[in-house]
Structures are given as structure tokens and as C-alpha cells.
């Protein structure tokens, strides 16, 4: 591997020049019917595999597997990747400050780091670099995408901005994008901790 620094004690200017921002991506399936068909077919393959082993018949599971392979190929062609990049600590903090929770929201939900109505679209729009999104684009996403897809985009935007950029030492240290709603740094940390603990 080529040496990145001129000496064993690099200056901050050298470090800053090479430091890249966190990036994360999430795949969104454009045809959700494919997901339902894939899950149904996977379940059927498990059932038919057991029957193939127990019954004296021509195996059914291999034919279903070929059908599943074709469906999964179609699904991969129907996926679009949304790529997010960290804003940087100050820009991210400023964005949070621009979207404070209302008094009514605090009364209803308790302590909140941000406004749960205005912050998710703002951080999605600000952090998504591929495709580039306008405020109108994000408004369409919030109105037209499923709540699960919106949550996946929001969680990815959160994680890319707050996670530490380091190489995990073990497979269990690698955090997947959580599917549950998150609305505070502490909740995010708890979610990531539960994932790395294997719970």
C-alpha cells in the first residue's frame, strides 16, 4: 500500500486533506410487488425442499429456485440506490438548530432533538448526493413513498451524519441501517448498540 503521509507524524493539514466524509447508500425497490413474490417463493422453496426429502417424487424445489433467481434478477434491476454523504459536524448541527421541536411536540412526545415533521425531509434533501434532490422531490418522497421506504432514507441520512468513520474489528461491530423510527442522538446510539450487541 502506498504511504499516504510524508512522515510517521502527519500534520493536521495533511490529515484534513485526505479525510473523506462518511457515505452510506440504501436501495429502494421501485416495484414492491416483486418483494412480496420473492418472499412468498422463498417460503414455498423451504416447504417444497422438505417435501422433496420426505416424499418419493421428482424434486420440485430446484425448479422453484430457478424461478426465484429470475425474480431476484428482476428485483435488482428494479432497485435504485440513494447515496448519502455526511454534511460535516457544524452543518449538521446547524440543520438541527433550524428545525427545533414545537412546544406541542415536546408536550406530546417528551424530549426531542429536532422537529419530527420538518427535520426528516430536510436532512434527507441536504445529505442525499445521488440522486440530487430538490425540496419538491423530497416532498413527493414524503407523500408518495411507503413509510418504510421513507424511514429507510431518513435513517440512512441520520447514520451517515453521526456514525464514526472507523473500520469494525469484528462482523458484529458493523451496524446495519435500522428500520425503527429514531428522533434523537441517544435513541440512535441505543439502536446502534442493540444492533452491535446482537439483540
Amino acid at each position: 500500500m502506498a504511504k499516504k503521509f510524508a512522515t510517521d507524524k502527519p500534520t493536521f493539514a495533511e490529515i484534513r486533506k485526505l479525510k473523506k466524509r462518511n457515505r452510506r447508500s440504501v436501495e429502494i425497490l421501485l416495484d414492491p410487488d416483486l418483494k412480496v413474490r420473492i418472499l412468498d417463493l422463498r417460503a414455498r422453496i423451504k416447504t417444497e425442499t422438505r417435501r422433496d426429502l420426505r416424499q418419493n417424487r421428482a424434486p420440485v424445489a430446484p425448479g422453484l429456485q430457478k424461478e426465484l433467481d429470475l425474480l431476484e434478477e428482476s428485483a435488482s434491476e428494479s432497485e435504485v440506490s440513494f447515496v448519502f454523504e455526511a454534511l460535516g459536524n457544524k452543518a449538521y448541527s446547524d440543520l438541527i438548530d433550524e428545525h427545533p421541536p414545537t412546544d406541542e411536540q415536546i408536550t406530546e412526545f417528551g424530549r426531542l432533538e429536532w422537529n419530527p415533521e420538518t427535520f426528516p425531509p430536510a436532512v434527507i434533501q441536504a445529505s442525499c448526493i445521488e440522486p440530487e434532490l430538490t425540496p419538491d422531490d423530497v416532498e413527493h418522497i414524503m407523500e408518495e413513498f411507503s413509510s418504510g421506504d421513507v424511514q429507510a432514507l431518513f435513517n440512512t441520512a441520520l447514520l451517515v451524519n453521526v456514525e464514526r468513520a472507523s473500520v469494525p474489528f469484528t462482523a458484529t461491530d458493523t451496524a446495519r441501517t435500522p428500520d425503527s423510527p429514531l428522533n434523537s442522538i441517544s435513541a440512535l446510539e441505543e439502536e446502534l448498540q442493540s444492533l452491535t450487541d446482537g439483540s
Side-chain angles (χ1 to χ4, degrees), residues 91-153:
Y92 181 68
S93 295
D94 289 346
L95 189 65
I96 291 175
D97 291 343
E98 290 169 14
H99 298 274
T102 64
D103 292 339
E104 293 80 7
Q105 290 168 342
I106 292 172
T107 299
E108 183 175 355
F109 300 110
R111 181 179 174 270
L112 297 173
E113 296 287 334
W114 51 68
N115 185 311
E117 294 179 5
T118 64
F119 181 70
V123 74
I124 289 171
Q125 193 263 320
S127 303
C128 190
I129 60 170
E130 292 178 22
E132 290 186 13
L133 299 173
T134 66
D136 283 345
D137 295 334
V138 178
E139 186 176 343
H140 286 301
I141 287 172
M142 303 301 286
E143 292 176 356
E144 299 167 12
F145 282 28
S146 73
S147 60
D149 285 343
V150 171
Q151 193 66 56
L153 293 169

Side-chain angles (χ1 to χ4, degrees), residues 60-79:
V60 173
L64 295 176
Q65 183 61 51
K66 289 180 182 177
E67 186 180 340
L68 177 62
D69 292 342
L70 290 173
L71 267 180
E72 289 179 338
E73 184 178 340
S74 295
S76 68
E77 293 170 356
S78 179
E79 279 184 334

